[in-house]
Amino acid sequence: MSPHAASDRLAFVAGVVAAAPGERVLEVGCGAGVLVTEMAVAVGGGRVVAVDRSARMAAATTRRNRAAVDAGRVRVLAAPLLDADLDGERFDAVVAVDVRAFWTPPAPEWDAVAGLLAPGGRVVVGFSVMRPQDRDEVPAAVARLAGRRGLAVTATAEAATLPYPTAAVALRAAVAGR
């Protein structure tokens, strides 16, 4: 694997997100920017915005994605999601991997995400299955917390990645009358 290739777990999450050319993607908790790189390739002429509360991680994301940042296809913000200046942008997809805030109450991040989604937009929350009960508890918590903000689970998936399996919960805005 090249030093710039995504890990199996991030490649799995990227597949669940299934970003398409021209889309706008927000990654919350971007870490070193590996998934940002995957998303930037997938969206082609679209745009990726990466947010991380750690200035160090935001700097690493910027370094890793320098060409895309310089070309204006990737924007990196060092701030918690709730404080990030997103300039009123709307996103076709929002993704977060191993960001406990999305399954730990009170989870105000869901309020922000619900307001950032473009019509028809989707959210993918990925997580490491470190304990057997995580398979049920994390998706249930995500569904409950996101459901309070008008989002409903559309799919769950799991991959046998190492050192722990990786799971993902996909959501969209709930359809009225269903």
Side-chain angles (χ1 to χ4, degrees), residues 89-153:
E89 284 191 70
R90 304 280 280 198
F91 298 93
D92 302 297
V94 176
V95 60
V97 179
D98 286 329
V99 179
R100 294 183 57 87
F102 285 99
W103 62 86
T104 306
E109 290 76 9
W110 282 112
D111 295 319
V113 167
L116 292 168
L117 280 179
R122 64 202 181 280
V123 181
V124 174
V125 176
F127 62 97
S128 299
V129 182
M130 299 177 76
R131 307 170 307 151
Q133 61 266 36
D134 291 343
R135 280 185 177 87
D136 295 324
E137 290 177 3
V138 173
V142 167
R144 184 174 54 258
L145 294 164
R148 294 177 186 158
R149 280 71 172 203
L151 298 164
V153 173

Side-chain angles (χ1 to χ4, degrees), residues 2 25 54:
S2 86
V25 177
S54 166

Side-chain angles (χ1 to χ4, degrees), residues 66-88:
R66 174 53 64 197
V69 169
D70 290 348
R73 292 183 296 110
V74 170
R75 180 174 172 225
V76 182
L77 301 169
L81 175 61
L82 298 177
D83 298 332
D85 181 7
L86 295 169
D87 298 328

